[in-house]
């Protein structure tokens, strides 16, 4: 009788541990995806503002470098690292390459209204499914069809950035 009392809690502890580990792994995965989506939406929005508002829709304004430098200085002063001229130029390029991914409504909800309900729009289809580092590599690919091919393959096969680079270097698309 005494032995049964000692054994029963250990089985419950094993279930508790297994369930807790599974839940924490799931929660971390969800949190990482949300953080990634917020980061991508932020870069997309900043890139859009640079192109649409400061450059009047042109791919480059004559004063574009000055605009990006001033924005970089202001953001760096406010937030510290992470908003270099290179990062902002990449945000601009990100928007130019992927501008059709986000509807006007979603952009407005996220960037203007700052509404958390915007993420409900993504329940079925995410506009971006890879980390920022992957998009930095993909944006170097000039052919949109080739870029899309590598994006789809990387997302479906869960390629790391190294695998994506290796697949691109091997000319998998061709």
């Amino acid at each position: 009788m005494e032995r049964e009392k000692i054994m029963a809690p250990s089985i419950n502890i094993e279930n508790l541990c297994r369930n807790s580990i599974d839940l924490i792994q799931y929660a971390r995965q969800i949190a990482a995806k949300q953080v990634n989506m917020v980061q991508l939406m932020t870069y997309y929005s900043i890139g859009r503002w640079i192109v649409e508002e400061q450059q009047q829709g042109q791919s480059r304004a004559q004063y574009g470098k000055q605009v990006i430098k001033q924005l970089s200085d202001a953001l760096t002063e406010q937030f510290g690292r992470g908003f270099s001229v290179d990062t902002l130029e990449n945000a601009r390029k990100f928007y130019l390459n992927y501008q059709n991914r986000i509807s006007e409504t979603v952009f407005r909800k996220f960037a203007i209204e700052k509404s958390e309900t915007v993420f409900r729009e993504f329940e079925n289809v995410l506009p971006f499914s890879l980390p920022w580092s992957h998009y930095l590599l993909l944006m170097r690919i000039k052919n949109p069809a080739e870029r899309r091919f590598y994006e789809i393959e990387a997302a479906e096969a869960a390629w790391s950035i190294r695998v994506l680079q290796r697949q691109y270097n091997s000319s998998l698309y061709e």
Side-chain angles (χ1 to χ4, degrees):
M1 193 80 159
E2 181 109 5
R3 185 177 172 120
E4 289 178 281
K5 288 182 182 177
I6 293 172
M7 295 288 277
S10 67
I11 293 171
N12 290 338
I13 296 282
E14 287 174 13
N15 286 337
L16 174 63
C17 291
R18 188 176 334 101
N19 290 339
S20 297
I21 290 167
D22 289 347
L23 176 61
I24 291 167
Q25 288 173 334
Y26 169 75
R28 286 181 175 175
Q29 187 178 39
I30 295 296
K33 284 182 180 179
Q34 290 287 42
V35 166
N36 184 59
M37 184 55 62
V38 168
Q39 179 186 31
L40 291 170
M41 290 291 295
T42 300
Y43 287 146
Y44 176 93
S45 299
I46 290 171
R48 178 179 168 158
W49 284 333
I50 291 168
V51 171
E52 298 296 329
E53 293 183 18
Q54 298 299 323
Q55 297 177 204
Q56 289 82 40
Q58 302 298 313
S59 61
R60 281 234 186 250
Q62 292 176 347
Y63 57 90
K65 291 276 187 195
Q66 293 172 343
V67 168
I68 291 175
K69 173 71 172 114
Q70 288 177 344
L71 180 58
S72 173
D73 291 346
L75 295 176
T76 299
E77 182 178 327
Q78 179 69 35
F79 300 108
R81 296 178 24 177
F83 297 98
S84 67
V85 168
D86 286 344
T87 298
L88 296 179
E89 285 176 348
N90 282 324
R92 183 189 145 282
K93 189 174 181 180
F94 184 63
Y95 170 73
L96 289 171
N97 280 290
Y98 298 100
Q99 60 187 302
N100 297 327
R101 295 272 181 97
I102 304 293
S103 71
E104 180 64 30
T105 302
V106 170
F107 169 76
R108 190 177 58 258
K109 280 183 181 179
F110 179 79
I112 308 298
E113 298 170 11
K114 294 164 188 68
S115 171
E116 292 179 24
T117 63
V118 72
F119 296 102
R120 290 187 198 139
E121 305 279 337
F122 305 143
E123 287 177 2
N124 297 325
V125 179
L126 292 173
F128 308 109
S129 54
L130 296 169
W132 177 242
S133 59
H134 287 58
Y135 286 103
L136 290 174
L137 183 108
L138 290 169
M139 287 187 297
R140 296 181 204 155
I141 302 171
K142 296 199 184 321
N143 178 345
E146 182 178 8
R147 185 182 324 118
R148 184 70 180 138
F149 168 82
Y150 284 109
E151 181 182 9
I152 290 168
E153 292 298 316
E156 287 180 358
W159 289 347
S160 68
I161 188 68
R162 287 184 180 161
V163 171
L164 174 58
Q165 181 71 59
R166 187 172 60 243
Q167 295 293 0
Y168 176 71
N169 290 343
S170 73
S171 300
L172 177 65
Y173 177 75
E174 284 119 25

